[in-house]
């Protein structure tokens, strides 16, 4: 198998040299919703209707599977569309999910406010200690859902240890790998059964396309999820598939620069008297550093820090930064900054937030791929 960056560029996009084809080096955007056949009983090259199979989406799915070194990839209209289709496909009424208590808010809302109405319950545990998962397992438990690192506290879960517990109890382990992308972390190689992504973040990488994916090797789970990808219909559109392919080609170089900038900013902030603490798994003093280093080849581009002072000070800092747009989301080429307490995590009750360490002056940064010195200079002037 060729290396990651080579697969990112070539897989799923072999030029078509068949009679009459044009040899495009970039996959075309196949907008047709239906495909004509020469004979009624014989779909042309397997294509019938775009919800079921579309050439541009197929190219994306092949590329995403190749990035993970996996057998199967499936592309959806958003990360949560992927999550919903996964749950519908593998769980039924009466089943229980064990989730990391620091899961992405939208995933938590989906499990706790939507699937609960269909009789699927979720138990949340602090998965930074793998044995907490073992303790939460009941006869109803079917699936474990983790993220690592988490958002915005960058907590680390030990994927290998949790995969071992999942195997022992016959549970399915799902890892949402959005934060590190397949460039830095490959959960299937660490024992996970299924990887999910919001490709809206690093894989798309330019804050201009929403998408999600499911990557796996298991034939049975694949058949069930692929059936529902068509049956439920939350598929990635041809245009969105094209944009995601375009983004994925540069994932390797972008992730390197995101990480370089995140390290530089983390170290700069650690040395500022106006900063109480910096959370970045790449820092040696991060509580999950050793586990992160053992299971991933990098630490990503997201960091959080706690500012000395009040919410007003935090807001003032954001308004003084010129290169960091105040916005939710992450993983794009541009630097973004946000205050979880009043933005992404505003719907979490204040007591719960504070108990979990999300204070009013906790600030999350999605460090972009701009010039490193420019980003540091911007923080220097804003902190002053
Ligand atoms: C954004 C995000 C999601 C949800 O993805 P959408 O594409 O917004 O539906 C899921 N998990 C994580 C970790 C995310 O950051």
């Amino acid at each position: 198998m060729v290396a990651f960056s080579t697969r990112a560029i070539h897989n799923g996009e072999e030029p078509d040299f068949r009679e009459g084809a044009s040899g495009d080096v970039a996959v075309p955007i196949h907008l047709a919703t239906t495909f004509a056949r020469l004979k009624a009983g014989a779909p042309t090259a397997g294509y019938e209707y775009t919800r079921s199979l579309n050439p541009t989406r197929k190219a994306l799915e092949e590329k995403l599977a190749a990035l993970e070194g996996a057998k199967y990839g499936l592309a959806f209209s958003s990360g949560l569309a992927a999550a919903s289709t996964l749950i519908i496909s593998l769980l039924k009424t009466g089943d229980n999910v064990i989730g990391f208590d620091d899961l992405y808010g939208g995933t938590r809302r989906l499990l706790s406010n939507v699937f609960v109405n269909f009789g699927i319950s979720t138990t949340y545990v602090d998965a930074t200690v793998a044995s907490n998962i073992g303790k939460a397992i009941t006869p109803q438990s079917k699936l474990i859902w983790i993220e690592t690192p988490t958002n915005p506290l960058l907590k680390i879960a030990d994927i290998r240890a949790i995969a071992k517990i999942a195997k022992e109890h016959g549970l399915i382990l799902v890892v949402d790998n959005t934060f590190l992308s397949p460039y830095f972390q490959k959960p299937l190689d660490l024992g996970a059964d299924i990887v999910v992504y919001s490709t809206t973040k690093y894989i798309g990488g330019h804050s201009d396309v929403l998408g999600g994916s499911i990557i796996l090797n298991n034939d049975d789970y694949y058949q069930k999820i692929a059936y529902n990808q068509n049956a439920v219909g939350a598929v990635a559109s041809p245009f969105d598939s094209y944009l995601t392919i375009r983004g994925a080609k540069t994932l390797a170089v972008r992730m390197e620069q995101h990480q370089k900038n995140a390290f530089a900013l983390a170290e700069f902030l650690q040395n500022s008297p106006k900063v109480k603490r910096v959370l970045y798994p790449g820092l040696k003093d991060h509580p999950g550093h050793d586990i992160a280093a053992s299971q991933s080849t990098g630490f990503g581009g997201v960091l959080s820090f706690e500012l000395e002072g009040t919410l007003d000070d935090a807001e003032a800092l954001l308004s003084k930064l010129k290169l960091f747009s105040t916005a939710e989301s992450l993983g794009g080429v541009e630097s973004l900054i946000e205050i979880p307490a009043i933005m992404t995590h505003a719907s979490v009750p204040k007591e719960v937030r504070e108990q979990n360490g999300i204070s009013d002056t906790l600030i999350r940064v999605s460090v972009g791929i701009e010039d490193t010195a420019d980003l540091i200079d911007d923080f220097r002037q804003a902190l002053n």
Side-chain angles (χ1 to χ4, degrees):
M1 188 163 60
V2 295
F4 185 94
S5 51
T6 309
R7 278 178 272 148
I9 289 160
H10 292 284
N11 281 61
E13 293 192 274
E14 301 301 327
D16 187 351
F17 293 122
R18 284 169 302 181
E19 187 69 33
S22 47
D24 304 68
V25 298
V27 70
I29 308 172
H30 292 266
L31 291 172
T33 53
T34 188
F35 303 92
R37 337 170 158 196
L38 285 172
K39 272 205 193 121
T44 309
Y47 294 102
E48 299 175 351
Y49 183 64
T50 273
R51 173 164 31 73
S52 321
L53 188 65
N54 170 279
T56 313
R57 191 176 80 231
K58 184 165 175 261
L60 170 62
E61 291 178 336
E62 284 177 14
K63 193 181 291 293
L64 292 173
L67 291 185
E68 213 81 28
K71 222 162 146 184
Y72 304 114
L74 292 158
F76 297 85
S77 55
S78 72
L80 289 178
S84 304
T85 307
L86 191 162
I87 295 164
I88 287 167
S89 305
L90 302 182
L91 300 182
K92 59 181 188 332
T93 300
D95 288 346
N96 169 256
V97 176
I98 296 171
F100 199 156
D101 63 8
D102 201 29
L103 281 186
Y104 174 72
T107 306
R108 197 169 169 136
R109 177 175 57 204
L110 181 67
L111 290 164
S112 299
N113 299 0
V114 180
F115 280 107
V116 70
N117 298 322
F118 296 84
I120 295 169
S121 64
T122 306
T123 310
Y124 294 100
V125 302
D126 175 4
T128 57
V129 180
S131 60
N132 286 344
I133 291 197
K135 286 181 200 144
I137 294 173
T138 68
Q140 283 68 48
S141 303
K142 289 280 146 58
L143 187 145
I144 300 167
W145 194 296
I146 61 167
E147 268 168 52
T148 178
T150 62
N151 169 28
L153 295 168
L154 289 310
K155 290 185 187 169
I156 301 295
D158 184 337
I159 300 175
R160 286 190 192 90
I162 295 171
K164 194 160 165 275
I165 295 169
K167 292 247 151 38
E168 279 164 16
H169 292 86
L171 307 192
I172 302 164
L173 175 59
V174 175
V175 178
D176 178 338
N177 200 37
T178 299
F179 264 49
L180 289 186
S181 90
Y183 182 67
F184 281 139
Q185 184 165 269
K186 295 188 180 60
L188 297 178
D189 294 349
L190 302 167
D193 298 294
I194 302 177
V195 179
V196 299
Y197 287 103
S198 168
T199 57
T200 312
K201 314 295 167 50
Y202 287 105
I203 294 176
H206 296 73
S207 304
D208 57 5
V209 58
L210 207 64
S213 73
I214 297 178
I215 314 293
L216 71 174
N217 289 318
N218 183 294
D219 299 305
D220 175 41
Y221 301 156
Y222 170 73
Q223 295 302 339
K224 288 177 172 152
I225 299 168
Y227 181 86
N228 280 327
Q229 182 193 35
N230 178 46
V232 174
V235 292
S237 78
F239 187 66
D240 289 357
S241 297
Y242 162 78
L243 281 176
T244 307
I245 287 170
R246 197 179 209 270
K249 290 183 203 197
T250 55
L251 185 60
V253 285
R254 283 187 288 108
M255 290 313 289
E256 289 291 347
Q257 183 72 13
H258 280 299
Q259 166 160 272
K260 178 178 170 225
N261 286 349
F263 257 116
L265 184 59
E267 280 160 10
F268 172 80
L269 291 171
Q270 262 195 325
N271 292 321
S272 167
K274 294 183 175 151
V275 171
K276 232 186 263 178
R277 59 175 183 147
V278 179
L279 302 173
Y280 181 61
L283 297 173
K284 296 248 164 14
D285 65 0
H286 185 285
H289 174 80
D290 291 345
I291 291 170
S294 77
Q295 65 189 7
S296 61
T297 53
F299 306 98
V302 177
L303 63 87
S304 294
F305 66 97
E306 208 168 343
L307 194 69
E308 295 285 0
T310 63
L311 178 60
D312 286 347
D313 297 317
E315 290 193 67
L317 174 66
L318 267 54
S319 68
K320 291 211 168 70
L321 286 162
K322 298 191 176 87
L323 298 176
F324 294 76
S325 298
T326 299
E328 300 188 356
S329 197
L330 58 108
V333 291
E334 66 291 306
S335 291
L336 301 178
I337 193 159
E338 66 119 359
I339 303 173
I342 56 170
M343 294 175 67
T344 48
H345 292 64
S347 64
V348 180
K350 193 174 165 76
E351 319 83 73
V352 179
R353 275 202 315 263
E354 297 205 325
Q355 201 181 309
N356 294 346
I358 304 175
S359 72
D360 283 354
T361 61
L362 185 81
I363 296 174
R364 185 192 77 188
V365 192
S366 171
V367 189
I369 63 169
E370 299 93 337
D371 180 77
T372 316
D374 286 343
L375 295 182
I376 303 293
D377 286 348
D378 194 27
F379 252 95
R380 189 178 290 115
Q381 66 79 21
L383 281 168
N384 285 341

